[in-house]
Amino acid sequence: MIHGILGIWNYWIVIILMMTGLFIVISRHNLVKKMVGLTIFQTSVFLFYISLGKVQGGTAPILTGYKDSLYSNPLPHVLILTAIVVGVATTALGLALILRIKSEYGTIEENEIAKLNTEENSK
Amino acid sequence: MISSTDFIYLALLPPLLAPIFIFIFKNNQNLRDSVGLIGSFISFYATINITNDLMNGGSPTLYLFNIFSDLSLSFKVTPLGAVFGLLCSGLWILAAIYSIGYMRGNNEKNQTRFYIFYSLSIFGALCVAWSSNLLVLFIFYEFLTFATYPLVVHKETEESIKASRLYLGILVGSSLMLFLPAIIWVWYSVGTLNFADGGILNNTFDPAYAPILLFLFVFGIGKAALMPLHWWLPAAMVAPTPVSALLHAVAVVKAGVFSILMVICYIFGPEFMNTSGSGKFLIWASTITLFLSSVIAIRKNDIKARLAYSTVSQLSYIILGGAIATNYSLIASVSNIMMHGVGKITLFFCAGAIYVSTKITKITDLNGIGHKMPLTFIAFSIGALSIIGIPPLGGSWSKFYLLLGAAQSELTIIIIILAISTLLNTYYLLDPVFRAFFMEKNESVKSVNHPLTVYPALCSAFLVILLFFYIDPLLQLVNLIIY
Amino acid sequence: MIDLIAIENHLPALQVVVPLLLAPVAILVSLPFLSWLVALFGSLFCLYSSVSLFFQVSEFGKINYFMGGWLPPYGIEYVIDDASSFMIVLISLMGVFATIFAYQSLKKEINKKSQSKVYGMWLLALGGLLGLVTTGDAFNLFVFLEISSLSSVTLVALGSKKDKRALTAAFNYLLIGAVGATFYVIGVGLLYSVTGTLNIADLTIKISELTANNSVKAGISFIIIGLMVKAAIFPLHIWLPSAYTFAPSAVAVLLTATATKAALYVLARILFTLLFNADDFTVIILQWVLLPASIVAIFFGTIRAIFEKDIKKLLAFSSLSQIGYITIGLTLGTASGIMASFIHIANHSMMKAALFMGIGAISIQLKKSINVDDLKGLSKSMPVTSISLTVVILSLLGIPLTIGFISKVYLLKAVFSHGNWPILFIIVLTSFLALGYAWQMIENLWMKQPVDTTLTIKDDPKIYIPLVVLAVFNILFGIYAYPIVNSAFNASAAIFWKVL
């Protein structure tokens, strides 16, 4: 029983991070905080993949020159490198948009932006 | 020797291509108006040849290409289609002359647009008449709805726009929601949509579902104005009278009942109609429509509104004949397509002539006008008597055969209702004539004479008389449907 | 000398790589006209490549292209079969149309310093979508999903010159799109953990034996949710209305014709090829997730569009309901349903792209965002645009002799053979309701008088030519429907493996 719960502790971390990230994206009004939440959400996925790739007793998947070394699966690491790059691009784009929004609206709180929009468009 | 296929081209191309020339000549009134007229003559000439060919045992067809894998865009002239085609192309000639008189007399605007879409509507009606399968019928049925829309909304007033929305709403709604599913049902069950003598449903469709299929068809074909889908017809009276005359007395509504008759004769087949009993509910639906609309017509004071409800009523006569589906009743329906078309167009021509000359639209204002417009009212009475069914006018044949057909099926209550409806017809159609000739003038009314609006009415009135005597060729054609 | 045979052999890779490589070229060339030429060249090359691949596939059968020569399951493979060749021809053709339209339209709608850089993003989006549709590796799909999403976000955000709400629309698109793509990655991760492979063909074989495995089911569910975001299926459609409304017109043309369609194609692949052996699970997804979602989408889209005044938003909601029709074709789970969906994918792209082009043309003349009322009387001042718009609106309504009718008939036939009467009724009812929003536009164009008679508006040939060509296609393929129908038939045969 404890083995069943504690034995999958990596998945617990993944789930907690995932839910935290999603919650932040949905519930926070501040746009930067939303980006932070998105990053946390994406990070949880990275952890998910990498922890999947761990082989018991295996070392980091970098060639050491020793024969008969047991390596963890390198493929998830490669995938996650790609995903990290994608995540960085997303974050950069998001932050660039936030800068523009700030210069246009003067605020980066979502509810204030919505209010400004409805005021302007009901005129 | 021109083949019958070439004649079909010759009949269909004028109304299709005339709009181009109408547009080119838009700045020269006389050239522009004569395009339609010339086109109508060519088209009618071709139609007569096609009908001749059909009566001599030929089967004129025109194949263009395949739209779906097994369904083609092609035309085939059936006897029923020949009757409808003759009606459309023949009356187009009269209507073209009439339109010129009406549009100029009333100084209407947007005349170019009017002539363009008038021509396109005739094209649509002819294509419906000669369609070889349900798909082509549906395509040009919808085409006709949209081609007539600019004509209905011609005046661009608030009232016209509202009326045209109702027009489109009912017609497109019924065809999308009921007609199209019915077509797909037939396509799926039978595998083909081609019209065939004796119908295609006989061994391929479950008779228990046949009444439902027929229900979808008759209420999906909103142009036939079965109640409660008839509202578009009185609403469409906001259009100028040439539109009401040709389209809503001849082309559009006849396309509706024609489609129903095609479905009954060439998809269901008279035999399947009787074995599956699909016609029963339709007999009652059309009888109720026929009766109710006659009652409503009595209460209408606006000339065109009364004529509109009279049309609804007469259309149900035709549908009733199809529902009973015996040979006499089918003869009645097909001949009524011709008789009612000619008779009704006369009435509408007169109504429009009255409007152009005196600006009168209400029946109560007609008192004593007969002396100023004797020819118009003589034509009106002839058309009215034909619709009521008095010999020696053409309409009497169709009424006669309908009564025979009802008697054949031992539907005595239908006969009684037909009799009552005839009485009502008499009242509401002869009332204007009576007022015009036998009552004192209300006040002095100015009347300006526009001969081009009067002569077509006289021509069609003459046709009504002619058709009584010249009934044989029509009967020959009709007999080809019921072998 | 460029070895033509070598190009022919590597077209699957080139058609993705060429736009990606040309993108920085377009940005570095700082003259807007030259950047546009680079973009035009890129899209024309993609058209050439997709058409030649289409003919190659129809003659020789499926093409498996191994990137860099590495064989699967170690390497990444690109698969061109009947279905993906259908999609690449569609995407590149609409890309060419959009690019031709884009020059005049973007010139007037985005700020000066972005005018050459936008074509870089344009090429990235195009290349990303083409890769999305042809790749045979699940993770590679994620990469292209993100490439196309991120570049679309940038393109949408460029509409901020006209209306700054484009920025928040783009930001929301970014957030929701990123969450959706991440869901997709989670799904792929779950599948990878069970099967150990990322190659889609390999996954298909391995999953067919593991269909009861909960991880597989969870993985597929995540993947489908992620794709539903990109395909804008209710209720994950939230980004679409604002994004299409505030994006520049040319961007709306490009996105509406390509982005959602690519995602719908991938969804069809997953449901019917990947899961070909998982009948009960697929049925659950189709009947309990996609079917209710698409029915609600159809109603919601149509009814919301009737009450919408801003035309671009109206068209966006109309797109939602059309996407619902496409999805309903998929939920039938039959080959004819998939064929109907593919036909509508092609036809709807052509219709909506033309509509957005027409509205874009009018908006350039009127210099503002258009309401339904702004269309009043335009037939007199912009006759060619009005006629083309009218033809395309009639096509959207499903009038016979247009492509809208063809897709409607095939969809109804597919629903009919499935015996599902309520869906049939819903489809015809909503087609009728679509008159509510479509007819206002036609009425205003032709039957009403212009509101402001002081404006000098005229038809601009440079802008309306792609619109006229698309309007002609609407009618041409409505009459001569064989090319589209036949290709869709082959495409559905390639996807629907259950037949085997």
Side-chain angles (χ1 to χ4, degrees), chain C residues 220 224 228 233 264 267-273 275 278-295 326-335 337-338 341 418 420 423 496 498:
Chain C
I220 298 286
I224 291 188
M228 275 170 73
I233 300 174
L264 285 165
L267 194 62
R269 269 274 181 223
I270 304 273
L271 284 171
F272 297 110
T273 312
L275 292 177
D279 279 359
D280 7 319
F281 185 53
T282 323
V283 162
I284 296 180
I285 301 178
L286 291 179
Q287 281 201 349
W288 293 100
V289 176
L290 278 185
L291 184 61
S294 34
I295 293 181
I326 298 176
T327 336
I328 278 201
L330 291 179
T331 59
L332 294 173
T334 60
I338 303 178
S341 295
H418 201 244
N420 215 325
I423 298 186
F496 196 63
K498 251 201 277 193

Side-chain angles (χ1 to χ4, degrees), chain B residues 156-337:
Chain B
E156 291 181 11
T157 59
E158 265 308 302
E159 200 198 343
S160 316
I161 293 186
K162 285 210 186 91
S164 62
R165 282 190 195 159
L166 185 67
Y167 178 77
L168 262 191
I170 295 185
L171 289 182
V172 175
S174 58
S175 61
L176 272 184
M177 294 204 274
L178 298 169
F179 194 10
L180 187 59
I183 293 179
I184 299 209
W185 193 355
V186 172
W187 195 4
Y188 178 70
S189 319
V190 181
T192 178
L193 287 174
N194 294 321
F195 292 127
D197 287 330
I200 55 177
L201 293 181
N202 218 342
N203 290 322
T204 51
F205 198 85
D206 185 357
Y209 288 125
I212 305 181
L213 183 67
L214 189 63
F215 177 89
L216 286 178
F217 271 118
V218 299
F219 285 105
I221 301 181
K223 293 202 173 86
L226 262 182
M227 286 183 169
L229 292 176
H230 66 287
W231 293 104
W232 63 269
L233 189 52
M237 291 298 132
V238 295
T241 312
V243 179
S244 312
L246 186 63
L247 298 184
H248 301 290
V250 174
V252 170
V253 296
K254 290 301 182 300
V257 291
F258 169 81
S259 309
I260 294 185
L261 283 179
M262 284 294 266
V263 166
I264 291 180
C265 294
Y266 293 108
I267 299 281
F268 277 73
E271 199 191 316
F272 187 71
M273 281 288 288
N274 286 317
T275 54
S276 63
S278 337
K280 289 208 185 83
F281 82 90
L282 188 57
I283 295 180
W284 289 108
S286 45
T287 313
I288 295 176
T289 305
L290 173 170
F291 185 71
L292 270 184
S293 46
S294 301
V295 171
I296 299 179
I298 294 183
R299 312 192 56 223
K300 291 286 173 191
N301 198 11
D302 181 273
I303 301 180
K304 284 173 73 173
R306 183 174 287 195
L307 293 179
Y309 277 100
S310 161
T311 307
V312 175
S313 177
Q314 292 293 317
L315 291 175
S316 289
Y317 276 83
I318 301 177
I319 302 177
L320 180 60
I324 300 178
T326 63
N327 29 350
Y328 283 132
S329 66
L330 284 172
I331 295 179
S333 293
V334 181
S335 54
N336 211 5
I337 288 185

